[in-house]
Amino acid sequence: MKITLNPKTTPFNLDYTLRCGQVFRWKKLGNWWYGVVNDKAIKIKQSNNVLEFEGADTKFVENYFRLDDFLPSILSKISKDEHTKNAIQSFYGLRLIQQDPWECLVSYICATNKNIPAIKEMINNLAKQFGEKITLDDYFFYTFPKPNSITRTNNKMLRCCKLGFRAKNVLKTARQVNNGKVRFAELEKMDYETAKNELLQLPGVGNKVADCVLLFALNKLEAFPVDVWMKKTIVKHYSTHFDKAFIRKALKKKSPTPAEYLMISSFARKYFGEYAGYAQQYLFHLERLTCKTV
DNA sequence: TTGCCGCCTTTGTA
DNA sequence: ATACAAAGGCGGC
């Protein structure tokens, strides 16, 4: 199937969107991106303004890649300074992805103190061990394990997937989702703060993980996750918005303290507005690409 | 109450 | 090779 996009009203860049570090389960084989979403293997490619895909319908693709987000307006709203404009110009067409909340939650619990290649490895291990094998084009893929597949495991089995100290958090969180204590559909209806407070009750979920789930899966575009990269960006390019003592202290440690987290993310929400999360993703991608060779 | 320290596993990277 | 960093969270003081 195909979708033809109008680049003026619906700019989209598939490579930037899948490479910017928000999702961990896609890989490019030849010209096609392959992924597993909603228990199905999907492939998709882009040539200019045409998206071609198999394994999913048009509605799914539009929803997953948030093609209804009116990017021209969103990007102009967050274009507050030269640095942001640079990021937007560099990765024009990068979109947030509407992820599955359960997979997103587990992924970011696992992301704690890990770099992106290692996160991909953990998630793939989980899927291979506890998901179901599916095929597309003679390639093998694995569905992401359901909550009740995780609750049937134990700490040791999860540690075999290289989860380390995150294993117990994934296990306990799976139980809470499985027994209905956490309902993603309900969280999505709540406002940002309320939903965040609910997520913060889960083991292994602090400020950063909660904001990632809110932004990437629960449609809270004002969420502004602050990890080591975002803290670095803020200190480098936005220090004038904070007092000097704050910046001086921030330079001492890499990962943000709870107080720094609050200062930075609330600044970002005020500064960038209701689409702060989009700004975060553009700035995150720029910071990683300029500092690293990943 | 708030703030900061050290630990938690394992992999990637210089 | 050896150390340090990694889309952090949490208990303890």
Side-chain angles (χ1 to χ4, degrees), chain A residues 208-266:
Chain A
K208 191 269 179 179
V209 174
D211 276 329
C212 284
V213 177
L214 289 163
L215 177 61
F216 299 138
L218 296 176
N219 208 26
K220 307 293 183 239
L221 300 193
E222 71 267 50
F224 193 89
V226 183
D227 67 332
V228 291
W229 299 99
M230 280 315 301
K231 179 174 166 180
K232 205 185 294 180
T233 293
I234 295 293
V235 168
K236 251 198 292 190
H237 300 281
Y238 298 89
S239 62
T240 55
H241 297 272
F242 299 85
D243 64 62
K244 285 179 182 167
F246 178 85
I247 297 297
R248 206 180 315 129
K249 263 173 75 180
L251 288 168
K252 287 184 183 168
K253 210 180 134 204
K254 294 211 166 179
S255 67
T257 66
E260 287 170 353
Y261 195 102
L262 191 63
M263 285 286 283
I264 293 173
S265 58
S266 55

Side-chain angles (χ1 to χ4, degrees), chain A residues 170-211:
Chain A
V170 169
L171 198 54
K172 286 181 188 169
T173 294
R175 291 190 188 124
Q176 304 245 26
V177 175
N178 199 36
N179 69 20
K181 194 140 186 291
V182 176
R183 292 196 183 84
F184 295 116
E186 299 301 315
L187 292 175
E188 193 166 354
K189 287 180 207 158
M190 297 173 188
D191 62 65
Y192 167 74
E193 291 289 345
T194 312
K196 182 164 182 177
N197 285 329
E198 291 292 314
L199 286 172
L200 288 174
Q201 306 304 313
L202 295 168
V205 179
N207 269 312
K208 191 269 179 179
V209 174
D211 276 329

Side-chain angles (χ1 to χ4, degrees), chain A residues 144-158:
Chain A
F144 191 79
K146 302 291 176 201
N148 66 5
S149 302
I150 298 295
T151 55
R152 282 198 293 269
T153 69
N154 56 45
N155 204 292
K156 193 185 242 177
M157 292 161 79
L158 292 177

Side-chain angles (χ1 to χ4, degrees), chain A residues 40-42 132-142:
Chain A
K40 285 190 296 184
I42 300 171
E132 286 177 29
K133 193 174 185 177
I134 53 179
T135 60
L136 179 60
D137 293 345
D138 297 328
Y139 295 117
F140 295 132
F141 302 94
Y142 297 87

Side-chain angles (χ1 to χ4, degrees), chain A residues 29-87:
Chain A
L29 302 166
N31 292 324
W32 292 92
W33 281 99
Y34 286 81
V36 180
V37 189
N38 293 349
D39 298 335
K40 285 190 296 184
I42 300 171
K43 66 173 180 176
I44 183 164
K45 72 172 177 180
Q46 177 173 28
S47 21
N48 299 318
N49 59 335
V50 176
L51 277 180
E52 189 178 348
F53 50 91
E54 288 178 34
D57 58 26
T58 302
K59 191 117 186 165
F60 171 83
V61 170
E62 286 171 349
N63 178 65
Y64 185 75
F65 292 107
R66 302 190 67 104
L67 298 181
D68 288 336
D69 284 352
F70 192 66
L71 215 48
S73 158
I74 291 172
L75 297 184
S76 82
K77 280 182 185 167
I78 62 173
S79 288
K80 297 288 187 186
D81 54 83
E82 289 310 310
H83 186 61
T84 316
K85 285 177 187 169
N86 179 21

Side-chain angles (χ1 to χ4, degrees), chain A residues 69-173:
Chain A
D69 284 352
F70 192 66
L71 215 48
S73 158
I74 291 172
L75 297 184
S76 82
K77 280 182 185 167
I78 62 173
S79 288
K80 297 288 187 186
D81 54 83
E82 289 310 310
H83 186 61
T84 316
K85 285 177 187 169
N86 179 21
I88 291 170
Q89 197 175 358
S90 303
F91 313 121
Y92 193 70
L94 187 162
R95 283 173 186 268
L96 291 170
I97 285 177
Q98 183 69 51
Q99 299 188 36
D100 172 70
W102 160 244
E103 178 171 341
C104 184
L105 176 58
V106 174
S107 299
Y108 282 94
I109 288 175
C110 289
T112 301
N113 214 259
K114 281 284 187 187
N115 54 30
I116 289 178
I119 300 164
K120 289 180 177 171
E121 191 60 25
M122 286 188 284
I123 303 302
N124 284 331
N125 288 340
L126 278 180
K128 200 164 183 177
Q129 287 297 313
F130 310 118
E132 286 177 29
K133 193 174 185 177
I134 53 179
T135 60
L136 179 60
D137 293 345
D138 297 328
Y139 295 117
F140 295 132
F141 302 94
Y142 297 87
T143 63
F144 191 79
K146 302 291 176 201
N148 66 5
S149 302
I150 298 295
T151 55
R152 282 198 293 269
T153 69
N154 56 45
N155 204 292
K156 193 185 242 177
M157 292 161 79
L158 292 177
R159 278 177 180 256
C160 286
C161 296
K162 310 303 179 188
L163 296 201
F165 63 84
R166 304 157 194 82
K168 61 179 188 307
N169 295 331
V170 169
L171 198 54
K172 286 181 188 169
T173 294

